[in-house]
Amino acid sequence: MRKVSFIRAQGATWVATYGSVTFNQFGRDNPMTGINEKGLMVSQMWLDETRYPPADTRPVIGNLEWIQYNLDRHGSVAEVLADAEAVRPMSRAPIHYLVADAAGDAAALEFLDGKLVVHRGAAMPVRALTNSTYSESVAAFERAKAKGEMPKSVSSLDRFVRAAMLAGGGNADPIARGLRSLLQLRNRIPLGGASSTISVPARSISEPRAIAPSGGSLWRGSTSPAARRSRC
């Protein structure tokens, strides 16, 4: 299937090779997160520090279209990174990306000061993303480990640290394990010494396995407490 960016001036065009399951808030081909039939997962989080590349001769694509573009065309993190600068994302909304694949590879991609910054392998000790730059988030995690404390605020850095500490290992179903970690935090988080209930309308976790019995995405809504699994 041939696709065309909604950005008319210098908009990118591409051909979709793979099917995908996506969660869309802003319409077709503008997903917030998704996983394709090869097991490639692409997601995003808000990041105030994002500065997209300045105008040049490359085809232009929306920042959420960038997610669909990669799900349509690529089957691995390596393929995403090899093609990462072929198009230029453009938007007023600043975000950064987390990608992972069926082989266990993962990377965080950020556009800082107009340049692509990638964290992968040894440079990505924690496979999580919140609303701070990845390097700043890892630094906060290292400080928390040194103190031996689990932070409890809803700040971006504290949420990253909790995700890192709760990720854990083991051989259990990684989707179920991840969901259990999220559920530990859903009810009460202290704010300034008081307790407040944080309502989360929906939560999703992806295990990037290509057409595997336990692969896909697990999600749960606040009005539908039973966890549901979707597969590509």
Side-chain angles (χ1 to χ4, degrees):
M1 177 185 295
R2 182 176 181 272
K3 295 187 177 182
V4 180
S5 171
F6 75 91
I7 298 177
R8 295 188 178 184
Q10 212 173 317
T13 62
W14 69 96
V15 175
T17 302
Y18 304 117
S20 59
V21 174
T22 60
F23 292 84
N24 295 44
Q25 182 177 354
F26 299 107
R28 179 177 176 180
D29 289 339
N30 283 270
M32 306 299 286
T33 187
I35 185 170
N36 72 12
E37 64 184 276
K38 298 296 288 184
L40 177 70
M41 185 281 299
V42 185
S43 191
Q44 55 77 37
M45 291 291 286
W46 188 275
L47 179 67
D48 283 334
E49 291 85 349
T50 293
R51 299 293 182 271
Y52 298 110
D56 56 27
T57 60
R58 288 178 293 171
V60 180
I61 197 166
N63 62 347
L64 296 181
E65 278 187 321
W66 188 93
I67 295 176
Q68 191 65 60
Y69 170 88
N70 282 287
L71 293 174
D72 286 347
R73 289 170 47 87
H74 303 126
S76 68
V77 171
E79 291 179 13
V80 171
L81 297 182
D83 190 47
E85 298 194 85
V87 295
R88 177 171 60 86
M90 182 177 74
S91 176
R92 294 181 179 178
I95 62 176
H96 55 170
Y97 304 95
L98 178 68
V99 297
D101 65 26
D105 198 0
L109 291 83
E110 300 173 330
F111 292 94
L112 305 175
D113 296 324
K115 297 180 180 179
L116 175 65
V117 176
V118 176
H119 295 270
R120 183 189 186 198
M124 192 181 188
V126 178
R127 297 183 176 190
L129 209 60
T130 54
N131 307 112
S132 303
T133 64
Y134 188 79
S135 59
E136 185 182 9
S137 299
V138 171
F141 175 49
E142 295 299 331
R143 291 193 298 270
K145 280 200 304 180
K147 294 179 180 179
E149 297 176 354
M150 172 78 80
K152 297 180 179 180
S153 85
V154 294
S155 73
S156 171
L157 293 178
D158 280 2
R159 285 185 283 112
F160 182 92
V161 172
R162 287 198 301 275
M165 290 183 170
L166 290 171
N171 297 318
D173 181 347
I175 292 183
R177 186 177 71 244
L179 186 59
R180 283 196 300 272
S181 295
L182 287 180
L183 294 179
Q184 291 182 44
L185 304 173
R186 72 174 178 147
N187 291 325
R188 293 185 179 275
I189 299 176
L191 297 173
S195 291
S196 298
T197 299
I198 307 300
S199 176
V200 182
R203 295 165 293 277
S204 68
I205 300 171
S206 296
E207 181 188 15
R209 292 187 186 176
I211 316 300
S214 62
S217 294
L218 192 69
W219 62 277
R220 162 193 315 260
S222 59
T223 58
S224 179
R228 302 179 184 182
R229 184 186 296 272
S230 64
R231 296 186 178 90
C232 297

